[in-house]
């Protein structure tokens, strides 16, 4: 269960958030504070997974508090709440590390929806950390000090993985590779930026005018969605033929949700009309990013 900290100079808001979180089964509130400086102290003592923090507070605003917490090594996720609608201020909040923004006055449905997404992301991050630890252990086992290998480029690492999943010829695979190259050069950490940002990053690789980036980003999204769907179908068909196939055993649980793989296997096996399957594109890209960075470290 997630642990939460609440920092807001309005006592009514703190109480409302406390009730929404605990009565809604979203997690446990382990610390609350009525100011930024007090929040800094309380959060460092209680180390919650998620901090719900007000933007404007009299002594030390939410952005300054987040920056100070990060400087002291605090690792929690941040959700900002405020009445402010100033885009520049909100932009600064996101730059400081805020993942979601909730508009005041507090709305129970909106808070529950946002914190449920945070909960889901936390579970994915935890799973990815476990995956990364497993991959690191495997890499250490496979290292051969007697025969050092030439360090491969990101593209050279990505291509065999996409080939294994049967999508190296898909147009979306180029977009996926562009995104992974960008992440390995400019991103640090286990998580990845929002998908829209990644799609537009891939769009910029086509040397477009900035005005065309958003439109091309949507086209990138569709190409990647088709590529990931094709990968799911390919891996599912391998599993139908041989459930113990090494490719199926490796890629099915790592890159896809178990229920999506089972549904696709059933569709193929029973020759059913393919439904519009739900696929977790963010998980696919996160795992690919982790696998590629892990291979790069092992070849360093």
């Amino acid at each position: 269960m997630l642990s939460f900290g609440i920092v807001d100079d309005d006592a009514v808001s703190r109480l409302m958030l406390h009730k929404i979180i605990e009565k809604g089964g979203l997690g446990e509130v382990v610390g609350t504070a009525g100011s930024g400086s007090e929040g800094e102290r309380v959060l460092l003592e209680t180390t919650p997974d998620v901090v719900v923090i007000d933007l404007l507070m009299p002594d030390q605003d939410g952005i300054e508090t987040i920056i100070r917490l990060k400087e002291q090594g605090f690792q929690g996720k941040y959700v900002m709440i405020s009445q402010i609608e100033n885009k520049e201020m909100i932009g600064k909040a996101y730059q400081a590390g805020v993942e979601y923004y909730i508009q005041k006055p507090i709305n129970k449905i909106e808070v529950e929806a946002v914190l449920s997404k945070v909960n889901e992301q936390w579970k994915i991050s935890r799973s990815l950390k476990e995956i990364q630890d497993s991959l690191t252990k495997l890499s250490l086992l496979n290292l051969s000090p007697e025969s050092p290998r030439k360090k491969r480029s990101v593209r050279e690492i990505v291509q065999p993985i996409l080939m294994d999943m049967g999508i190296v010829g898909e147009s979306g695979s180029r977009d996926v590779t562009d995104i992974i190259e960008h992440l390995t050069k400019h991103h640090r950490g286990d998580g990845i930026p929002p998908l829209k940002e990644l799609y537009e990053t891939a769009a910029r690789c086509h040397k477009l005018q900035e005005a065309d980036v958003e439109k091309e980003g949507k086209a990138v999204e569709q190409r990647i969605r088709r590529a990931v769907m094709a990968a799911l179908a390919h891996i599912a068909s391998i599993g139908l033929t041989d459930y113990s196939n090494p490719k199926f055993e490796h890629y099915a649980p790592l890159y896809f949700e178990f229920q999506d793989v089972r549904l696709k296997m059933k569709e193929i096996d029973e020759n059913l009309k393919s439904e519009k399957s739900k696929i977790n594109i963010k998980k696919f890209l996160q795992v690919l990013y982790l696998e590629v960075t892990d291979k790069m470290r092992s070849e360093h």
Side-chain angles (χ1 to χ4, degrees):
M1 179 182 285
L2 277 179
S3 57
F4 287 84
I6 301 171
V7 183
D8 194 320
D9 61 329
D10 179 10
V12 175
S13 294
R14 291 200 303 275
L15 182 60
M16 285 180 67
L17 289 165
H18 197 297
K19 285 182 177 178
I20 291 170
I21 289 167
E22 296 205 335
K23 288 192 175 181
L26 297 167
E28 177 190 9
V29 177
V30 295
T32 63
S35 70
S37 55
E38 182 192 4
E40 188 182 329
R41 177 182 58 77
V42 169
L43 295 172
L44 289 171
E45 287 175 0
T46 56
T47 61
D49 300 308
V50 181
V51 177
V52 184
I53 185 168
D54 191 15
L55 174 55
L56 295 182
M57 290 180 285
D59 67 326
Q60 181 174 291
D61 68 31
I63 294 173
E64 185 183 351
T65 303
I66 290 172
I67 291 169
R68 288 174 63 87
L69 284 166
K70 286 193 163 188
E71 287 173 350
Q72 294 173 82
F74 182 75
Q75 299 290 318
K77 294 181 179 293
Y78 300 96
V79 177
M80 185 73 79
I81 54 172
S82 181
Q83 292 176 324
I84 295 291
E85 293 185 27
N86 183 297
K87 288 185 178 178
E88 186 179 344
M89 284 291 286
I90 295 171
K92 285 181 180 177
Y94 282 120
Q95 287 175 358
V98 169
E99 302 202 20
Y100 289 96
Y101 186 87
I102 297 174
Q103 187 74 38
K104 281 187 175 181
I106 292 169
N107 178 294
K108 178 175 181 287
I109 294 173
E110 182 185 7
V111 173
E112 286 181 339
V114 169
L115 297 187
S116 293
K117 286 182 182 177
V118 174
N119 203 325
E120 184 181 333
Q121 274 196 350
W122 179 77
K123 288 177 182 175
I124 291 173
S125 297
R126 188 174 63 176
S127 298
L128 289 171
K129 180 69 169 63
E130 290 171 0
I131 292 167
Q132 188 178 35
D133 290 344
S134 298
L135 289 171
T136 301
K137 288 174 184 174
L138 284 171
S139 297
L140 290 171
L141 289 172
N142 292 331
L143 283 175
S144 176
E146 294 85 11
S147 54
R149 293 174 293 175
K150 179 187 173 185
K151 187 178 178 182
R152 292 179 294 169
S153 68
V154 171
R155 198 165 292 269
E156 288 171 332
I157 294 171
V158 170
Q159 291 301 300
I161 296 172
L162 300 181
M163 193 175 294
D164 281 350
M165 287 192 273
I167 57 169
V168 75
E170 291 280 335
S171 57
S173 291
R174 176 188 169 187
D175 298 310
V176 168
T177 305
D178 289 340
I179 286 171
I180 300 301
E181 281 190 320
H182 173 81
L183 289 173
T184 56
K185 288 177 184 175
H186 305 290
H187 185 69
R188 294 293 177 271
D190 296 340
I192 59 175
L195 287 175
K196 184 175 185 291
E197 185 181 320
L198 294 177
Y199 297 147
E200 292 184 357
T201 293
R204 289 188 179 91
C205 294
H206 300 294
K207 305 288 191 285
L208 299 172
Q209 296 291 328
E210 192 61 27
D212 299 323
V213 166
E214 186 174 355
K215 182 180 177 182
E216 178 60 20
K218 291 176 181 175
V220 169
E221 178 180 6
Q222 293 307 312
R223 291 197 295 267
I224 290 179
R225 181 170 293 278
R226 285 194 295 270
V228 176
M229 287 294 300
L232 174 62
H234 181 74
I235 294 301
S237 64
I238 290 176
L240 273 176
T241 307
D242 179 8
Y243 205 77
S244 61
N245 184 291
K247 288 182 183 177
F248 179 80
E249 288 185 336
H250 177 73
Y251 293 108
L254 270 182
Y255 283 81
F256 305 100
E257 303 292 352
F258 177 75
Q259 60 270 25
D260 295 338
V261 177
R262 295 294 300 164
L263 179 60
K264 183 57 69 175
M265 290 172 73
K266 183 178 180 182
E267 284 178 3
I268 296 170
D269 188 41
E270 299 178 11
N271 201 23
L272 299 173
K273 183 180 178 181
S274 180
E275 298 179 11
K276 191 171 182 180
S277 304
K278 284 175 63 179
I279 47 171
N280 192 334
I281 295 176
K282 189 157 191 176
K283 177 180 180 180
F284 184 94
L285 293 174
Q286 280 181 316
V287 175
L288 181 57
Y289 167 60
L290 285 175
E291 188 158 21
V292 169
T293 53
D294 188 73
K295 288 179 184 292
M296 289 175 71
R297 277 196 297 266
S298 70
E299 294 178 8
H300 200 277

